[in-house]
Amino acid sequence: MLARAVWRAMLERRQRVSLALAALTVAAALVTALLTLYSDIEGKLRQQFRGYGANLMVSPAGSRETLPLEALAEAEKHGLAAPFLYSAQAVNQELLVVAGVDFTRLEALAGYWQVDGRRRPEAGECLVGARVAERFRLGPGAAVEVAGERRRVAGIVTTGSAEDSQVLLPIEELASTAGLEGQASLIALRADGARVEQARAALAAALPEAEVRVVRAMVEAEANVVLKIRGTLFLLTGLILLITVLCVMNNFAAIVYQRRKEIGILKAIGGSEGRIAALFAAEALAVGAAGSVAGLGLGWLLARWLGREIFRQAVSPRPEVLPAVVAVTLAAALAATVLPLGQIRRIEPATMLRGE
């Protein structure tokens, strides 16, 4: 009976109900798009930050100069890790820092490196930092003498950091040359941004011979970007819902005004204000449910388009946002009826029956 009454009431005022439905559909679509983007893009942002370097550094503690390379396995339990080995060696008869690098593991952490040439040296090759290349006038394909061995320059590295002043070799070759097999001077680790402190504590407990430091600049930059995006999306969601509530409220206020004679008659025959309000609330919930269903499909399409146009990343549908979107849309629909339903108490049956 209630469902039939709600359906007939909605049909009789199709124009007003359609406007409310359109507003709730748009709101549900935008909320779906924003929540989908937030759920998907936050993970993609954290993944992208992996290429901007490590957020944890594991180095020897105290007077130790190297760590056993076995520490790498412990570090890799918490994320992507790459070992470095440093040794002072003669480069074109000048003493410079030569870095031994695991280029395979480093690739995921060094996306920000600018390399003129190839990023991975082959046997008998090396990478040269930009300052070293400038000092010796080297370019890709040039020859350079490193630790008494003539090598070909595979690429010129520019990072804006210490690597610009180093020569980079495969870690196994430098370890053999320096007599430091199975050792590492530093392990760079990229842990998940939300679990950096947990990873640091776990590594400190597992590797008492090592000092584990958090790269604050990297952690804070990642946190700031994620928090700003989160805050922006939530602010937009709040504004969208506020505008929607005002729009739907105006339509339901008009519906209550148009039906004031009907409300007066219902009161006159014994209908309580609570039951009459429940009837209008049921109409609002029905419109909200229809708007949320329609908005979900539109929102997923909008999220895909925004992800491709703004973030240049594919965004996949997130079924887990469905309950949140439905709940938010229904809450907005109910909130929009609070003031209009207050008008019901001010409607006097006698006045309506007299036609005043």
Side-chain angles (χ1 to χ4, degrees):
M1 185 68 179
L2 176 62
R4 184 179 178 183
V6 169
W7 178 249
R8 290 294 301 273
M10 292 170 63
L11 284 179
E12 289 179 4
R13 289 160 181 85
R14 291 187 292 272
Q15 185 176 3
R16 289 288 180 181
V17 171
S18 297
L19 289 173
L21 176 61
L24 289 169
T25 299
V26 171
L30 292 174
V31 171
T32 300
L34 292 176
L35 291 179
T36 301
L37 283 174
Y38 173 72
S39 303
D40 206 65
I41 293 299
E42 182 175 0
K44 285 181 167 58
L45 281 174
R46 294 195 183 278
Q47 185 176 4
Q48 288 294 320
F49 265 100
R50 293 178 181 178
Y52 289 94
N55 51 20
L56 286 170
M57 293 292 181
V58 184
S59 57
S63 59
R64 297 174 61 95
E65 295 185 356
T66 59
L67 288 169
L69 203 53
E70 287 78 9
L72 177 64
E74 189 66 35
E76 287 184 321
K77 294 178 182 179
H78 303 280
L80 299 172
F84 291 80
L85 179 64
Y86 300 111
S87 177
Q89 300 288 336
V91 177
N92 281 359
Q93 300 181 351
E94 289 190 21
L95 199 62
L96 294 179
V97 175
V98 178
V101 181
D102 186 331
F103 289 99
T104 301
R105 286 185 168 91
L106 181 66
E107 187 171 2
L109 298 176
Y112 69 100
W113 283 21
Q114 297 179 22
V115 181
D116 180 12
R118 287 187 289 105
R119 301 179 72 91
R120 285 195 190 186
E122 298 176 353
E125 294 182 336
C126 64
L127 296 183
V128 172
R131 294 193 188 97
V132 177
E134 183 180 359
R135 170 70 181 84
F136 297 114
R137 297 181 181 178
L138 301 173
V144 62
E145 186 177 310
V146 182
E149 182 180 348
R150 196 167 183 82
R151 290 180 175 270
R152 180 177 178 274
V153 176
I156 308 298
V157 177
T158 303
T159 67
S161 189
E163 290 81 11
D164 290 1
S165 301
Q166 298 171 357
V167 175
L168 292 84
L169 305 178
I171 189 169
E172 300 85 359
E173 296 183 20
L174 180 61
S176 177
T177 299
L180 295 171
E181 289 87 350
Q183 300 293 310
S185 303
L186 179 74
I187 296 175
L189 169 64
R190 177 73 198 182
D192 185 273
R195 295 194 294 270
V196 172
E197 287 297 335
Q198 295 92 318
R200 186 205 63 77
L203 282 172
L207 302 171
E209 73 279 15
E211 177 186 359
V212 185
R213 294 178 292 106
V214 176
V215 183
R216 294 292 174 187
M218 180 60 64
V219 173
E220 290 172 2
E222 179 176 349
N224 287 337
V225 170
V226 172
L227 287 174
K228 284 180 180 179
I229 289 179
R230 179 183 302 172
T232 301
L233 291 180
F234 284 155
L235 177 61
L236 286 173
T237 302
L239 289 174
I240 290 166
L241 291 177
L242 177 60
I243 294 171
T244 301
V245 167
L246 293 175
C247 178
V248 177
M249 184 183 298
N250 178 63
N251 280 281
F252 273 105
I255 289 174
V256 170
Y257 180 78
Q258 291 173 353
R259 298 172 65 181
R260 62 191 186 281
K261 291 184 179 180
E262 177 185 335
I263 294 171
I265 293 173
L266 288 174
K267 282 188 173 184
I269 62 176
S272 66
E273 291 181 353
R275 289 193 174 185
I276 297 172
L279 179 63
F280 281 92
E283 292 180 23
L285 287 175
V287 175
S292 63
V293 171
L296 278 168
L298 293 175
W300 278 333
L301 293 175
L302 179 60
R304 289 186 62 184
W305 180 79
L306 288 173
R308 186 172 58 252
E309 294 296 322
I310 298 176
F311 297 101
R312 296 292 186 267
Q313 298 226 15
V315 176
S316 55
R318 294 280 178 168
E320 60 267 26
V321 308
L322 171 62
V325 172
V326 173
V328 167
T329 308
L330 293 180
L334 281 178
T337 63
V338 172
L339 291 180
L341 292 182
Q343 299 175 16
I344 294 176
R345 288 192 293 270
R346 296 192 292 272
I347 296 176
E348 295 294 337
T351 303
M352 293 298 105
L353 292 175
R354 288 198 302 267
E356 297 179 3

